[in-house]
Amino acid sequence: MTDNPPIAMLAELTHRCPLACPYCSNPLELARQDSELDTETWKRVFREAGEIGVLQLHISGGEPASRRDLIELVAAAREAGLYTNLITSGIGLTEKRLRALDDCGLDHIQLSLQGTDAEMADSIGGYRGGFARKMQVAGWIREIGFPLTLNAVLHRRNLHQLPRALEMALEMGARRIEVATVQFHGWAMKNRDALMPTQEQAREADRIVKQARADLKGTLVIDYVPADYHSDFPKRCMGGWGTTGLNVAPDGEVLPCHAAQTIPHLSFDNVRDRHLRDIWYDGAAFNAYRGADWMQEPCQSCDNKLKDFGGCRCQAMAVVGDAGATDPVCIKSPHHGALQAEADAFSHNDEADLIYRTAPGKPVPEIAE
Ligand code: FES
């Protein structure tokens, strides 16, 4: 149980996306377009979010620009008193649409970066011409004056581009960059061998980020998600299950985190049937791993249990087969050694091909690696 409202809500407007990133964290089974919430239902959900105390709305997907009603939805979210952040690849945004988003009050844009040049970005995103388009969109974002966060997703194939990604954030006028080493959830699990950074790369990224934080203090904020398979302590995933945020999937299922549907014994409420307030406070999925009562050893007697909440439930499920187990990233987990050995083996598999994220009916990208 909790007495605290959520601070943030992620609205996954759609799972449709023009890109085919092999590290996509969306579930293996995507919500079909005909199951997506309609405009009026999303508007009601935003009102309910405002009523229960949500402050920030992260509008995501898939690619949220694939929704024709994006501008209407952003306007409704602003009316509901929410701070609106659009998380986008930029594909599908025109200058006209961006100006309309500005007119209706969009507060912030988070632009993803698949690579720092066309060769890398287009091959990772599986979308020819995507990088050039993104640079054009970045120019319009700057011209209009949206506050911008650049979201660079890094892995074995592009970690060497981190210094250039930092430069690009400055050139684009971004106030913040998220340096996110790929996390293995959903589709990304299929590509652990093709994308796992080496331990040396993970260490080098730590060093570059530390130096850049010192050099760019006051100019650029750097958020950093390290390569957790190579770490000894788990991440406090979602800030703790059911403590700060909730996700609404395209079909209206309300999830404690974006990968929660990979935990097979959980069942999820839907905004079509229940008010967001009831789902947050009383929903079975939200209460399944809230607090510390559910924890097993070694978490239960660990001094860090209310700091990291045992790490990521979905990672425990994916790697150990038990969502209630200690995240195997933790040095106290009996599976820690095996995970690190596995990470090392994945990171040296130079034969592994990328398996692109493809939806049913969508062709595999033609872009060769
Ligand atoms: Fe689900 Fe970490 S992604 S708890």
Side-chain angles (χ1 to χ4, degrees):
M1 287 294 291
T2 182
D3 294 328
N4 299 323
I7 296 166
M9 182 169 102
L10 182 80
E12 296 176 351
L13 298 187
T14 178
H15 278 157
R16 287 174 283 142
C17 184
L19 301 191
C21 302
Y23 51 71
C24 180
S25 61
N26 282 338
L28 294 185
E29 189 145 343
L30 298 175
R32 295 185 329 271
Q33 184 173 357
D34 62 8
S35 72
E36 289 176 10
L37 296 181
D38 62 19
T39 312
E40 290 312 311
T41 309
W42 274 119
K43 288 181 177 177
R44 171 175 59 76
V45 173
F46 297 157
R47 284 195 298 274
E48 290 180 5
E51 281 163 27
I52 67 170
V54 169
L55 301 174
Q56 301 165 358
L57 177 69
H58 303 287
I59 300 168
S60 162
E63 173 49 63
S66 303
R67 287 276 303 219
R68 295 214 172 136
D69 54 0
L70 178 64
I71 291 155
E72 194 177 345
L73 292 177
V74 170
R78 292 291 286 115
E79 267 168 41
L82 303 171
Y83 176 92
T84 48
N85 172 32
L86 180 68
I87 301 174
T88 178
S89 67
I91 310 299
L93 290 174
T94 58
E95 183 177 5
K96 190 171 164 209
R97 268 187 118 188
L98 280 164
R99 291 200 182 278
L101 286 165
D102 187 36
D103 289 344
C104 74
L106 178 68
D107 294 285
H108 182 275
I109 293 182
Q110 188 170 324
L111 187 67
S112 64
L113 193 70
Q114 286 73 30
T116 59
D117 54 51
E119 192 185 351
M120 177 67 72
D122 292 358
S123 104
I124 295 296
Y127 189 86
R128 201 185 305 275
F131 182 77
R133 185 74 184 157
K134 191 187 298 283
M135 291 305 104
Q136 196 176 28
V137 169
W140 293 325
I141 290 171
R142 183 163 198 175
E143 218 174 279
I144 295 169
F146 282 112
L148 172 69
T149 294
L150 193 62
N151 176 21
V153 183
L154 300 171
H155 41 76
R156 187 165 84 244
R157 297 182 180 227
N158 68 358
L159 252 165
H160 61 283
Q161 296 190 331
L162 172 55
R164 177 66 193 131
L166 292 163
E167 285 172 7
M168 286 176 72
L170 295 172
E171 289 164 12
M172 288 178 186
R175 299 179 185 177
R176 186 179 282 268
I177 182 170
E178 184 178 12
V179 175
T181 316
V182 68
Q183 302 290 296
F184 294 102
H185 298 295
W187 187 273
M189 283 295 279
K190 291 176 179 282
N191 282 294
R192 287 189 299 175
D193 48 2
L195 298 176
M196 184 71 66
T198 64
Q199 202 159 49
E200 296 70 40
Q201 282 182 308
R203 270 201 291 266
E204 177 66 357
D206 289 349
R207 190 195 63 71
I208 292 171
V209 168
K210 192 171 171 206
Q211 185 64 49
R213 277 180 169 158
D215 294 346
L216 300 172
K217 196 164 184 221
T219 307
L220 183 69
V221 177
I222 303 174
D223 294 330
Y224 181 42
V225 181
D228 73 343
Y229 274 48
H230 292 303
S231 303
D232 285 338
F233 298 100
K235 59 182 180 276
R236 178 181 165 128
C237 202
M238 289 297 291
W241 185 277
T243 60
T244 49
L246 50 80
N247 290 11
V248 183
D251 59 2
E253 289 209 334
V254 187
L255 316 174
C257 69
H258 62 278
Q261 286 157 319
T262 59
I263 302 178
H265 64 266
L266 293 181
S267 58
F268 304 100
D269 291 301
N270 195 297
V271 291
R272 297 180 210 261
D273 311 318
R274 279 184 100 177
H275 193 288
L276 218 46
R277 177 185 290 108
D278 298 338
I279 299 175
W280 172 256
Y281 289 105
D282 300 327
F286 280 86
N287 283 316
Y289 299 108
R290 246 184 194 136
D293 291 350
W294 57 270
M295 289 180 185
Q296 310 167 4
E297 290 297 343
C299 290
Q300 193 51 253
S301 56
C302 179
D303 289 344
N304 283 340
K305 73 177 175 185
L306 295 181
K307 290 190 186 134
D308 60 28
F309 290 99
C312 175
R313 297 305 85 228
C314 301
Q315 189 141 277
M317 184 72 230
V319 177
V320 181
D322 177 3
T326 302
D327 185 335
V329 163
C330 182
I331 197 161
K332 292 185 178 178
S333 162
H335 304 280
H336 177 73
L339 184 78
Q340 293 221 316
E342 204 180 27
D344 196 47
F346 283 139
S347 73
H348 288 97
N349 183 352
D350 295 330
E351 306 296 310
D353 290 329
L354 294 177
I355 303 171
Y356 286 97
R357 159 103 260 185
T358 47
K362 186 175 162 186
V364 175
E366 286 169 17
I367 294 178
E369 289 179 48

